[in-house]
Amino acid sequence: MRSFKGREGFTLIELVVVIIVLGILAVIALPKFIDFRTDADISVLKGMQGSLKSARDLVAAQIALRPENLNNAQSRFTLEDGQNIRVRAHYPDGRWNNTFNHLVDFDSVTYVTSNQCTESNSDTAWCARNRGLGWFVQRGYTAAIVGRGFVIFPRGNNLNTDRCYLYYFTPNDSNVTEMGVLPSVELDLTGCG
């Protein structure tokens, strides 16, 4: 039979101290880990913002170069690929589902008709929802008397309570036939994280 004399194990006090140290490290490291998700969401929103601004400006340039592609009411424009989009005052209309979803390739965005972005209504990480003038005025984003837009927000968020999103708003009326006011493409990150 072997003797275990000379071998020492950890005492209960040493084990408790190690567990306490690990707990302290977890409390310090966990918020930093959680911030990575917030930082990633903010970076994605900033990238989407740049793409939306570019799409807005490219459509305005295409309309200036090919005004014959506007319909008689100047509320629709036919792109080079034959896709027909809505426009307001020679800028893309503030609708995701029949304008911007044709202008940008955001595979990670699902159009929803709810203020919630959940697994049940979106199989992607982001949701887009059209919003009327009142929504933008209520939040202090505009003082316009006409217009509309859309909002892109992360899954797991509520559009009315979680201010962590990108929004596009055009302050132009749908029947303006000349170049209008530049639509805004802005971020509200006050509720992120």
Side-chain angles (χ1 to χ4, degrees), residues 70-121:
L70 282 166
N71 67 351
N72 289 338
Q74 296 196 12
S75 61
R76 294 194 178 264
F77 181 74
T78 305
L79 301 170
E80 287 181 19
D81 64 1
Q83 185 63 50
N84 194 290
I85 62 167
R86 290 181 179 264
V87 294
R88 286 178 178 241
H90 296 206
Y91 286 108
D93 185 61
R95 299 171 207 236
W96 175 262
N97 59 325
N98 56 12
T99 300
F100 272 90
N101 65 333
H102 301 298
L103 298 175
V104 292
D105 188 17
F106 291 172
D107 291 336
S108 61
V109 176
T110 300
Y111 174 72
V112 296
T113 58
S114 167
N115 291 326
Q116 288 286 123
C117 186
T118 63
E119 288 182 23
S120 63
N121 67 359

Side-chain angles (χ1 to χ4, degrees), residues 46-59:
K46 287 180 179 179
M48 288 180 183
Q49 180 185 28
S51 295
L52 293 178
K53 283 181 178 181
S54 294
R56 172 199 65 194
D57 298 344
L58 285 170
V59 167

Side-chain angles (χ1 to χ4, degrees), residues 93-189:
D93 185 61
R95 299 171 207 236
W96 175 262
N97 59 325
N98 56 12
T99 300
F100 272 90
N101 65 333
H102 301 298
L103 298 175
V104 292
D105 188 17
F106 291 172
D107 291 336
S108 61
V109 176
T110 300
Y111 174 72
V112 296
T113 58
S114 167
N115 291 326
Q116 288 286 123
C117 186
T118 63
E119 288 182 23
S120 63
N121 67 359
S122 172
D123 58 352
T124 59
W126 299 90
C127 290
R129 172 131 200 242
N130 293 337
R131 302 305 317 163
L133 173 67
W135 190 90
F136 294 95
V137 170
Q138 254 180 357
R139 285 155 183 77
Y141 300 144
T142 186
I145 56 172
V146 294
R148 65 174 303 112
F150 63 86
V151 184
I152 297 176
F153 57 110
R155 188 161 65 183
N157 282 18
N158 180 302
L159 190 55
N160 289 334
T161 59
D162 303 318
R163 284 192 168 200
C164 183
Y165 43 71
L166 162 65
Y167 65 88
Y168 176 94
F169 177 76
T170 178
N172 300 304
D173 202 347
S174 60
N175 61 3
V176 175
T177 58
E178 68 277 342
M179 187 67 116
V181 178
L182 183 69
S184 57
V185 184
E186 301 296 334
L187 298 168
D188 188 337
L189 306 174

Side-chain angles (χ1 to χ4, degrees), residues 10-28:
F10 293 107
T11 66
L12 184 59
I13 292 175
E14 290 171 329
L15 288 174
V16 168
V17 168
V18 168
I19 291 170
I20 290 172
V21 169
L22 289 174
I24 291 170
L25 289 173
V27 167
I28 292 170

